[in-house]
Amino acid sequence: MPAAKGGSSKGGLTLWLPGLRAWPGEALGEILPRYWGRGRRERLPAANLLDLAARLWNFPAGPLPAAALLAAADGVAVNGRWVIALEAMQIQPRQGQAVVLPMPAETLQVEEMDTLLGAARAHFAGADWEIVGGGPSGRWYVLAQSVPDLQSTPIYAVLGREPLDLMPKGGDAPYWNGIFNELQMLLTAHPVNQRREAEGLEPLRFFWAWGEGRLPDIRPAARWQGLVSPNPWLRALAAWVGVPLLHGLGALPEAELETFWAEAGELLWEWPADWRLEETAPAFAGIVPVLHAAFAAGAAVQLWSGIMSDGMAECVRLRRGDRWRFWRRAAQPGKGAASVGQW
């Protein structure tokens, strides 16, 4: 475990709750509002989670270039180019709408993926940009030297929703949306996908374009000495800036937690559970020993929300003494920013 910078014996924990995106009333349980009421609250504007992540990681203003980070993690030679990710998906009818869903666990064979990618690269060979494959991830990327005027909707905000109103926007959107539509038609007509459909298998023909941007020339100095997260683009970011990936802190024996925090540096723990679900609050109660141990070791603790419906995120900063301030009233994250259940 890396030690804190400057030889300090006290680390810090930032617990990021991106699934906390509104004031969901009783679904919060009792524990989270108790913490939220004891610390110092701050509200911060953020367009989306990528924008908030850029702030957490000291990136230049604007959304995090998730596609370029994922491409670098997949071994793609980005070389300063603008990148947008093409995430394989399916579109299925749900309650009278066509919604975006993840691809099923069963994936295409490597030979099929290579064949489809080769067809796409050959079809667009004359363009001033290129399509490349990301290897085992199954993700494709578009790389360009110039930076288009294009703003996409991140894939996590699209799943389960009707896609038409969420297509990329901006001055260059008509061109790029036309390209993505052309790619879909090319893949739909390809013999690999026609054969798969005939066999009752899911074809690879729909992609969602997202995460556009280019990597900064200078890698920002991250404050973190460790990351806990299941999120692919956060893990790719950690790899790019050289931050070690850690296992879930909740798996540590309680007897070892205080020693852990006495030796740890600044850690970021992303806990992505959706706070609209009834099981989230009891699950959060299970990681409270981690917070108690961090306080006991003198570590500073921060709790960050996701993006509320008013375009703001909330941060609560707590110090060791704050956990004993029982007289402070519990506070609902996002209260006043949205009606109960409005996500």
Side-chain angles (χ1 to χ4, degrees), residues 30-42 284 288 291-292 295-296 301-303 314-333:
E30 299 180 0
I31 296 175
L32 183 66
R34 204 180 305 154
Y35 277 110
W36 224 264
R38 291 176 191 169
R40 291 158 294 172
R41 299 173 69 180
E42 180 182 1
F284 182 80
V288 168
L291 302 180
H292 285 334
F295 285 131
V301 174
Q302 296 185 30
L303 304 179
E314 289 191 2
C315 172
V316 174
R317 294 177 171 86
L318 304 111
R319 297 194 179 277
R320 186 175 183 177
D322 290 332
R323 66 174 179 151
W324 302 111
R325 295 179 179 174
F326 299 111
W327 62 87
R328 290 190 175 180
R329 297 180 61 183
Q332 297 279 15

Side-chain angles (χ1 to χ4, degrees), residues 60-328:
L64 195 77
L69 291 164
L70 288 165
D74 276 339
V76 175
V78 175
N79 298 329
R81 289 177 287 180
W82 177 88
V83 186
I84 191 166
L86 300 180
E87 197 90 30
M89 62 178 189
Q90 55 178 326
I91 297 181
Q92 297 289 345
R94 290 289 186 277
Q95 297 180 342
Q97 290 184 318
V99 300
V100 178
L101 297 173
M103 285 291 286
E106 178 274 328
T107 57
L108 280 76
Q109 299 296 318
V110 173
E111 295 80 6
E112 294 177 316
M113 289 286 292
D114 290 345
T115 300
L116 293 172
L117 178 61
R121 286 176 59 83
H123 181 79
F124 295 109
D128 58 356
W129 46 267
E130 66 170 331
I131 296 179
V132 301
S137 74
R139 200 177 289 110
W140 292 2
Y141 303 95
V142 171
L143 293 84
Q145 292 292 346
S146 60
V147 179
D149 177 12
L150 193 72
Q151 299 85 45
S152 70
T153 303
I155 185 66
Y156 58 78
V158 174
L159 295 176
R161 300 177 63 186
E162 207 283 329
L164 288 181
D165 292 337
L166 303 174
M167 299 291 289
K169 296 176 174 56
D172 293 319
Y175 170 78
W176 284 104
N177 285 332
I179 291 296
F180 301 144
N181 187 57
E182 189 175 341
L183 175 63
Q184 175 188 324
M185 291 189 293
L186 171 72
L187 296 178
T188 298
H190 196 280
V192 166
N193 279 324
Q194 291 187 335
R195 182 177 66 250
R196 289 181 63 82
E197 285 194 284
E199 296 173 357
L201 301 174
E202 186 68 30
L204 179 69
R205 58 187 176 188
F206 297 114
F207 285 93
W208 189 259
W210 74 284
E212 70 283 349
R214 64 196 317 168
L215 296 176
D217 295 331
I218 300 176
R219 302 189 189 206
R223 58 178 286 195
W224 317 112
Q225 282 82 58
L227 169 71
V228 179
S229 174
N231 188 319
W233 51 267
L234 267 184
R235 295 169 68 90
L237 169 57
W240 190 70
V241 299
V243 172
L245 295 171
L246 308 177
H247 297 295
L249 301 181
L252 290 174
E254 191 167 345
E256 299 178 12
L257 281 172
E258 189 166 340
T259 301
F260 173 87
W261 284 111
E263 299 174 350
E266 291 277 335
L267 304 183
L268 175 64
W269 184 2
E270 186 216 10
W271 200 72
D274 190 336
W275 284 85
R276 291 173 296 181
L277 304 178
E278 293 182 358
E279 60 266 26
T280 299
F284 182 80
I287 67 173
V288 168
V290 177
L291 302 180
H292 285 334
F295 285 131
V301 174
Q302 296 185 30
L303 304 179
W304 287 68
S305 74
I307 311 300
M308 305 292 178
S309 58
D310 62 350
M312 303 288 285
E314 289 191 2
C315 172
V316 174
R317 294 177 171 86
L318 304 111
R319 297 194 179 277
R320 186 175 183 177
D322 290 332
R323 66 174 179 151
W324 302 111
R325 295 179 179 174
F326 299 111
W327 62 87
R328 290 190 175 180

